[in-house]
Amino acid sequence: MLANVSSLLNVQWYLGIPLNDTTNLRLAIAEFGEAILGDSVIGYQVGNEPDEYAKHDKRPPTYDQADYSREFGIVDAALRADPNVPVVDGKLLGPSVSGPWTPQSVWDVGFLTDHHESLAAISMMRYPHTSCSSPGKQRDPQDLFPSYLNHTASQIIVADYLSSTALAQTYNLPFVMIETNTASCGGFPGISNSFGGAIFLLDYALQMASSNFTNAMLHVSGQGVYYNPFTPPPTNQTSFRNWTVGAPYYAVLAVAETFGKSNKSQIIDLQTNDNNIFTPGYAIYDAGVLSRLALFNYVTDPSGLNDYTMSFAIGGGTTGQANGTPAQVKVKYLLAPSVSVKDNITWAGQTFGTAFESVGRPTGTEQIQTVNCNSDNTCDVKVPAPGFALVFLDENNPPFSEDVQVFTATSTAGQAAKTFNTLVIDPAVVATANGQPGTNYLQAGTSPGKRPNGARAAQSVPCIVVAVCMAIGVVRVLGGVV
C-alpha cells in the first residue's frame, strides 16, 4: 500500500525498527522496506520513547541513556551485516525521547559522536500534556484549555530543544519532531478537536519552524481519539458524506500555505505587540524575500472589541531601506465563532462541515480578501477574535487558489435503513481529473505482476527546510490596535 501511494504522490516514509528484544532483533521491516519502498524510505526509527521503557517494565529500572545508545549500536551493526539492507549510513533515526530524558542527557553519553554517520535525522517526541488515565490522575480538559490559548504554550515546548537544534546544524542533520499533537493518548475532548486546539497547533508548527526544526508529524489514530485531522465513517468507508474532518486538519491546511511551495521558506517570530502572548505573529521569507505574515488572535470576543488591527511597514523609516510596502495585500482567514467551536471552522470562507458530513472537499465560496495599503508606506490588517490571518505580500507568491469541481449528489428515496447515493459527474471532468485513465497505469506495488522491488528512477521529493536567518527586507511592526 505504501509503495502504491508513493508511486502516485510525492510521499516518503519513516518506518520503525522494534527494540523490544535486542537479543533477537526483528529487522524484517527494514528488509522489506528496502525491497518494496526503496528510496521512498526516509529512514528507520530505532526504538520509540526509550526513556519510557523502564516505566512500562520493558527494561530494568536502571535502564539509562548509555544503555539506549549501546542498543542503538547493536541495531546499527546488525543492519550493516544484513545483505538485504544495502545502505545504513544516513538511514537511522534516534533517540526519539519524549520527556523523562532531556536531549542533552543523551548527547552527554556520546550518542551523536558515536552514531552521527548512521543518522538520517535527530528525532524527538513531545506532547504538551497527557490524557493517559491512571488512578487519581485524571485531568479535567476545561481546566487545561486556557494553557493552550496563548503563544507561551508553544514557546515552552520548543525552548527545551533550542540548544539541540543548533547542535544538529553542526552535524548537518535534520531535526525532526517525529510524534506530537495536543495531548498524548488520543488528546482531550473539547481541546484537541476545537478551534482553539487548531490555533495552538498552527502556532506550535511555526514556533518549531522558527527554531530550526526540519519537520514535524502529528500523531493520528482510530475512531476513539480527539486529535484526528479526519476520521472515516464508523461503518462503511465508502459512504458518501459520512467522513468527519476535525479541527487539526484546518491547522495543517493553514500551515502548508504559510510555509508555501518554494521549499526555501524562513520563519521568524516577530514578537508582535510587545510580545503579547495572545496576538503573536511571524514573518515568512521565501529565498530571502519577505513573502507573508502570519498573525494570530487567541482571544474569543463576539462583540468585536478584541479584534485587533495590525499595522506594519516594509522598509522605510529608520531601516535604511527604501519603502517596500505593496499597494495592496491579499489575506486568507482561519475563523470560527469561538475557540471552543468544533464544527464549521472556515479557511478562506470554506468549510468541511460538521461530523459525518464531509466528502473530503471544502464547500462554500473561497474568500481571499484584498486590503489596500496606505500612502505612508503602512498597511493595516484586521485579525478577528479569535482568528488567524495569513497576509500575502509578494505578488510573485500569491495565495493558493482553490479550483474545486463541485459534484452533485442525489439519493434514492424510501430507503428504510440507509440511503444509497449516486455521484453525477461530467465525463469531461473525469478525462482531466487526478488519476490514470484506462490501462496507462504505473507499474507499482507488491501484488503479482506489479513492480517487484524498490529500484526505480529517482524522484525529486520536496521537503520543508526552515532556518532562522537574517533575511533581505525589514518588517517594521508598528503595533496592533484593538
Side-chain angles (χ1 to χ4, degrees), residues 98-178:
S98 62
W101 296 348
T102 66
Q104 186 60 50
S105 71
V106 183
W107 315 149
D108 287 344
V109 300
F111 178 83
L112 285 177
T113 304
D114 294 341
H115 306 301
H116 69 273
E117 291 184 355
S118 300
L119 290 174
I122 297 172
S123 58
M124 295 289 156
M125 308 173 71
R126 182 73 175 269
Y127 293 86
H129 295 286
T130 179
S131 66
C132 304
S133 60
S134 58
K137 293 186 178 181
Q138 287 79 7
R139 311 185 76 175
D140 185 345
Q142 292 311 302
D143 291 340
L144 289 173
F145 197 15
S147 70
Y148 287 85
L149 301 178
N150 61 74
H151 190 43
T152 307
S154 60
Q155 289 178 316
I156 289 174
I157 299 171
V158 173
D160 290 340
Y161 302 100
L162 295 179
S163 61
S164 294
T165 58
L167 183 62
Q169 292 178 70
T170 67
Y171 284 96
N172 197 29
L173 286 171
F175 196 90
V176 176
M177 182 65 77
I178 201 165

Side-chain angles (χ1 to χ4, degrees), residues 42-54:
I42 302 172
Y44 300 97
Q45 181 190 15
V46 179
N48 184 72
E49 298 181 338
D51 49 346
E52 300 275 3
Y53 287 174

Side-chain angles (χ1 to χ4, degrees), residues 256-301:
E257 192 155 0
T258 301
F259 284 173
K261 298 182 289 185
S262 72
N263 197 31
K264 298 177 181 178
S265 56
Q266 302 157 298
I267 318 295
I268 298 176
D269 188 337
L270 294 173
Q271 301 181 5
T272 51
N273 303 323
D274 295 324
N275 208 18
N276 187 306
I277 63 173
F278 300 109
T279 57
Y282 298 84
I284 297 89
Y285 291 79
D286 279 317
V289 177
L290 181 60
S291 182
R292 293 173 293 282
L293 296 176
L295 307 174
F296 292 77
N297 190 344
Y298 277 102
V299 178
T300 291
D301 182 0

